[in-house]
């Protein structure tokens, strides 16, 4: 039809061009594997990502080919984000926390051609390279002089040596269809083999627009953003793109994720906004608390990936003056689905009532439709009480897994998230559980998240996981596995008494088990499957 708007395709290369042209001196700071802090900016990232594109051209890597990374958050990883996707190849971020056998399986499934790795991961490369026949080129993310020369490594080039000779004066990013694949990420896969979500240029750009919105992450050119969430986990929740769209300063923590390092980086780089899973913030607060430290620049932090305990939200706000934005999403959703920010009418509510809303996983953002469905298939009302299986749809929600493994996961065009949730009349969702973690006791459902949140509010509890164990009469009963805070005393009966009056009597766990540590998965989430395995011979106490 004549007279329409221009139909330019939404391409990731336009993000880096924009950031370089309009926010070229906005900084890109990286704590490096080398131990120092590296200073770059969007302009340099743009130049060097074009060099990556030309370096890939020089190896004649065709469009659509997978280029894998095994890397921490840092400027070289960012350059690969733009250089690989911008030149029509597919960036495949590998999770180094997986077992080497799983990494091998994933590389062979993705058929990666190039693998770029941080030198921290040399032991993994040594363990896997002979089993990855599709990988023709190995690139160590370091200077030429730091190139590891061990005999049991594949032939490897240094990243700096690889990109240096390429002249980019005449280089223009290629243009192609916005529905072309840009990057991919395998799901943690708690059951069966991992499956890959394949993102497109279009889905990535729309998601980047969405996360920058004021009621979402509100990323702006005034921000200094610290993505602690790894770039190998769903593209660091889209922040490498969202920061380019906004021209924000970006600060990468590299491998230094302990409380002290994260705190010092926040202070040194004037970080205003950070993002990560609850376990990372737990480490940070555990470091700061005994030393009486405060933040001088941090204003807000997005916490998601698993339920954020209310005690953490309260502590951030009351003790440190930092607003917590509770978010929910998943690999199959690029990942953002909902984020908890108040509406105008909520500003009149008491602090306590506002907190109740902030504790929820948030409300939908434009681009993500939500519905909840009963086991019978009946659509459930948005009344904040009815709970059922949560379904989503939208332009950055998966249609099918990479290589169409198995039947399409969609049901009537909607993706079943595997989460159980309520939706209130204002559109706020509350995740009560993963459907497989819900405890089914005597025909009623008990939310493991609620049990964990109460335990976490006890001053002597550092971490808590609630799982169901089988019961002859009730089918399943909840027990809570607890890691105590150092130097705190806590008896089983004290914690059980702490539940009284907070939830119905029949929802109170039947037992408390104290452990030294709770197993965590590759993305920092508690591994309840492992806990269940460890406790398979456990018998409930006879009451
Ligand atoms: P992943 O694909 O590894 O990011 O995992 C996605 C899953 O993490 C979701 O389906 C939820 O079960 C869980 N999840 C993510 N964010 C939250 C949250 N804020 N509260 C509770 N569960 C969450």
């Amino acid at each position: 039809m004549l007279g329409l708007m221009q139909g330019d395709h939404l391409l990731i290369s336009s993000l880096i061009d924009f950031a370089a042209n309009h926010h070229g001196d906005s900084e890109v700071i990286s704590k490096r594997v080398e131990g120092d802090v590296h200073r770059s900016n969007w302009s340099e990232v743009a130049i060097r990502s074009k060099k990556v594109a030309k370096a890939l051209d020089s190896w004649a890597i065709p469009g659509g080919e997978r280029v894998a990374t095994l890397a921490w958050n840092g400027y070289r990883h960012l350059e690969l984000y733009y250089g690989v996707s911008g030149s029509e190849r597919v960036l495949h971020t590998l999770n180094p926390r997986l077992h080497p056998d799983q990494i091998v399986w994933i590389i062979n499934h993705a058929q990666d051609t190039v693998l770029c790795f941080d030198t921290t991961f040399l032991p993994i490369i040594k363990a896997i390279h002979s089993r990855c026949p599709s990988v023709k080129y190995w690139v160590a993310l370091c200077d030429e002089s730091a190139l590891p020369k061990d005999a049991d490594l594949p032939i490897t080039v240094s990243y700096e040596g690889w990109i240096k000779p390429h002249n980019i004066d005449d280089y223009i990013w290629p243009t192609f269809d916005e529905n072309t694949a840009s990057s991919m990420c395998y799901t943690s896969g708690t059951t069966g083999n991992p499956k890959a979500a394949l993102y497109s240029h279009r889905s990535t750009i729309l998601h980047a627009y969405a996360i920058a919105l004021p009621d979402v992450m509100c990323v702006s050119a005034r921000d200094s953003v610290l993505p602690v969430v790894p770039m190998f986990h769903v593209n660091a929740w889209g922040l490498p793109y969202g920061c380019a769209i906004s021209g924000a300063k970006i600060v990468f923590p590299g491998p230094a994720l302990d409380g002290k390092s994260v705190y010092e980086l926040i202070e040194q780089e004037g970080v205003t906004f950070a993002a990560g899973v609850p376990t990372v913030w737990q480490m940070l607060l555990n470091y700061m608390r005994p030393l009486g430290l405060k933040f001088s620049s941090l204003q807000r932090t997005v916490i998601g990936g698993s339920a954020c305990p209310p005690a953490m939200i309260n502590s951030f706000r009351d003790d440190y003056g930092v607003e917590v934005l509770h978010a929910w999403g998943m690999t199959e959703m690029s990942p953002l689905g909902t984020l908890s920010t108040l509406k105008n009418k909520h500003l009149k509510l008491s602090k306590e009532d506002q907190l109740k809303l902030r504790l929820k996983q948030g409300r939908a953002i434009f681009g993500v439709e939500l519905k909840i469905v009963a086991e019978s298939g009946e659509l459930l009302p948005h009344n904040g009480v009815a709970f059922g299986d949560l379904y989503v749809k939208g332009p950055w929600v998966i249609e099918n897994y990479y290589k169409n493994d198995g039947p399409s996961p969609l049901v009537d065009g909607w993706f079943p998230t595997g989460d159980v949730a309520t939706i209130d009349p204002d559109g706020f969702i509350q995740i009560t559980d993963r459907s497989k973690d819900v405890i089914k006791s005597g025909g009623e459902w008990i939310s493991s998240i609620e049990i964990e949140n109460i335990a976490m509010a006890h001053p002597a509890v550092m971490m808590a996981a609630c799982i169901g164990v089988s019961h002859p009469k009730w089918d399943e009963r909840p027990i809570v596995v607890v890691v105590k805070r150092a130097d705190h005393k806590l008896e089983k009966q004290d914690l059980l008494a702490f539940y009284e009056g907070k939830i119905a009597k029949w929802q109170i766990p039947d037992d408390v088990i104290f452990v030294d540590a709770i197993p965590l998965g590759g993305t920092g989430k508690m591994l309840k499957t492992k806990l269940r395995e460890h406790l398979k011979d456990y018998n409930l106490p006879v009451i």
Side-chain angles (χ1 to χ4, degrees):
M1 193 178 294
L2 287 177
L4 274 177
M5 297 295 121
Q6 297 177 15
D8 293 18
H9 287 277
L10 302 173
L11 297 178
I12 286 174
S13 52
S14 64
L15 290 178
I16 191 66
D17 275 349
F18 172 81
N21 290 339
H22 302 288
H23 304 278
D25 61 353
S26 200
E27 287 184 294
V28 173
I29 307 296
S30 311
K31 183 106 195 210
R32 299 202 297 179
V33 170
E34 290 89 329
D36 59 350
V37 172
H38 178 272
R39 309 194 82 83
S40 176
N41 56 35
W42 282 111
S43 170
E44 252 180 73
V45 170
I47 292 169
R48 286 165 54 92
S49 55
K50 283 185 174 170
K51 282 176 172 271
V52 168
K54 283 201 81 171
L56 289 167
D57 289 350
S58 72
W59 281 348
I61 310 289
E65 214 60 8
R66 271 75 55 217
V67 175
T69 57
L70 196 64
W72 300 110
N73 291 9
Y75 67 106
R76 291 181 180 125
H77 206 171
L78 186 67
E79 291 157 10
L80 286 161
Y81 261 53
Y82 286 103
V84 172
S85 304
S87 63
E88 213 185 339
R89 284 98 182 184
V90 179
L91 178 85
H92 173 200
T93 51
L94 287 161
N95 183 345
R97 295 194 183 121
L98 297 178
H99 188 276
D101 290 347
Q102 286 173 303
I103 298 179
V104 167
W105 189 93
I106 288 173
I107 291 174
N108 286 322
H109 187 261
Q111 289 288 290
D112 297 321
T113 309
V114 181
L115 201 156
C116 307
F117 59 93
D118 267 329
T119 49
T120 335
F121 302 124
L122 276 176
I124 303 181
I125 300 299
K126 288 179 187 174
I128 65 168
H129 75 90
S130 61
R131 290 181 283 159
C132 302
S134 66
V135 181
K136 293 198 189 76
Y137 302 100
W138 302 83
V139 181
L141 296 171
C142 61
D143 290 331
E144 189 88 65
S145 58
L147 187 63
K149 300 237 163 43
D150 312 27
D152 47 357
L153 270 180
I155 298 169
T156 304
V157 298
S158 77
Y159 177 80
E160 297 300 334
W162 178 47
I163 66 167
K164 191 174 173 190
H166 299 286
N167 182 329
I168 52 101
D169 292 348
D170 56 345
Y171 188 82
I172 298 170
W173 294 108
T175 49
F176 42 85
D177 192 299
E178 63 186 17
N179 287 305
T180 304
S182 58
S183 66
M184 71 196 299
C185 183
Y186 280 72
T187 59
S188 334
T190 41
T191 52
N193 283 326
K195 288 178 280 190
L198 188 64
Y199 311 109
S200 69
H201 284 257
R202 173 186 154 82
S203 69
T204 304
I205 298 236
L206 292 175
H207 184 266
Y209 268 118
I211 66 170
L213 285 170
D215 268 7
V216 188
M217 296 193 196
C218 192
V219 183
S220 82
R222 292 165 296 290
D223 274 316
S224 168
V225 179
L226 175 76
V228 181
V229 52
M231 290 166 85
F232 57 75
H233 185 211
V234 217
N235 301 327
W237 297 348
L239 283 167
Y241 308 113
C243 287
I245 227 171
S246 319
K249 169 176 175 177
I250 189 160
V251 182
F252 290 120
L257 301 175
D258 61 286
K260 181 173 189 287
S261 306
V262 171
Y263 176 75
E264 285 173 0
L265 199 58
I266 289 175
E267 289 302 299
Q268 280 158 16
E269 298 303 330
V271 168
T272 55
F273 169 58
V277 295
T279 38
V280 164
W281 302 132
Q282 191 78 52
M283 288 194 289
L284 177 65
L285 295 181
N286 283 348
Y287 167 73
M288 292 174 66
R289 225 175 253 131
L291 299 175
L293 297 171
K294 298 283 176 207
F295 294 113
S296 57
S297 57
L298 190 67
Q299 295 161 4
R300 59 196 200 287
T301 169
V302 171
I303 304 188
S306 46
C308 179
M312 187 178 284
I313 297 187
N314 282 334
S315 179
F316 262 115
R317 193 195 57 195
D318 298 339
D319 307 335
Y320 300 99
V322 173
E323 185 187 5
V324 170
L325 305 167
H326 195 190
W328 167 84
M330 55 198 310
T331 307
E332 289 88 339
M333 299 176 67
S334 304
L336 204 65
T338 62
L339 195 132
S340 208
T341 48
L342 302 181
K343 297 183 178 182
N344 177 282
K345 66 179 180 183
H346 298 139
L347 301 178
K348 297 192 229 54
L349 295 177
S350 67
K351 248 180 152 186
E352 289 69 38
D353 286 339
Q354 286 186 352
L355 180 66
K356 281 186 198 145
L357 287 171
R358 290 183 190 282
L359 291 177
K360 295 190 174 193
Q361 275 76 6
R363 53 196 168 85
I365 48 189
F366 175 73
V368 180
E369 288 182 65
L370 304 164
K371 69 174 181 181
I372 41 173
V373 174
E375 264 176 308
S376 61
E378 179 200 353
L379 202 59
L380 291 167
H382 294 185
N383 58 14
V385 180
F387 56 88
D389 294 317
L390 178 63
Y391 285 74
V392 291
K393 77 197 294 288
W396 59 81
V397 175
I398 197 166
E399 186 169 83
N400 204 347
Y401 292 98
Y402 177 59
K403 291 190 177 169
N404 293 349
D405 288 356
S408 161
L410 300 194
V411 181
D412 297 331
W414 291 76
F415 177 73
T417 63
D419 288 330
V420 177
T422 60
I423 306 181
D424 74 16
D426 283 321
F428 285 76
I429 69 162
Q430 178 145 31
I431 305 288
T432 49
D433 241 316
R434 269 315 272 168
S435 52
K436 58 184 184 309
D437 291 339
V438 153
I439 295 135
K440 292 174 180 149
S441 172
E444 297 289 342
W445 286 13
I446 299 174
S447 155
S448 67
I449 294 181
E450 194 172 7
I451 305 285
E452 287 156 11
N453 282 347
I454 294 174
M456 293 287 290
H458 192 289
V461 173
M462 179 144 98
M463 203 183 267
C466 172
I467 57 169
V469 292
S470 53
H471 187 279
K473 180 170 175 195
W474 303 111
D475 193 17
E476 265 188 341
R477 289 295 302 152
I479 60 168
V480 61
V481 181
V482 167
V483 181
K484 278 189 251 186
R485 273 188 201 287
D487 307 327
H488 280 71
K489 285 210 165 56
L490 180 66
E491 298 297 329
K492 182 194 294 196
Q493 290 316 324
D494 303 333
L495 187 60
L496 292 179
F498 190 65
Y499 280 97
E500 278 167 27
K502 297 191 174 78
I503 44 175
K505 262 206 148 39
W506 61 271
Q507 295 172 321
I508 295 179
D510 279 13
D511 201 5
V512 180
I513 297 178
F514 293 108
V515 294
D516 292 335
I518 290 174
L520 297 180
T523 53
K525 300 183 196 205
M526 296 190 289
L527 277 185
K528 292 196 187 176
T529 39
K530 272 252 166 72
L531 268 187
R532 287 190 196 100
E533 244 169 68
H534 290 332
L535 293 169
K536 67 179 182 319
D537 297 326
Y538 162 89
N539 287 315
L540 276 172
V542 182
I543 303 170

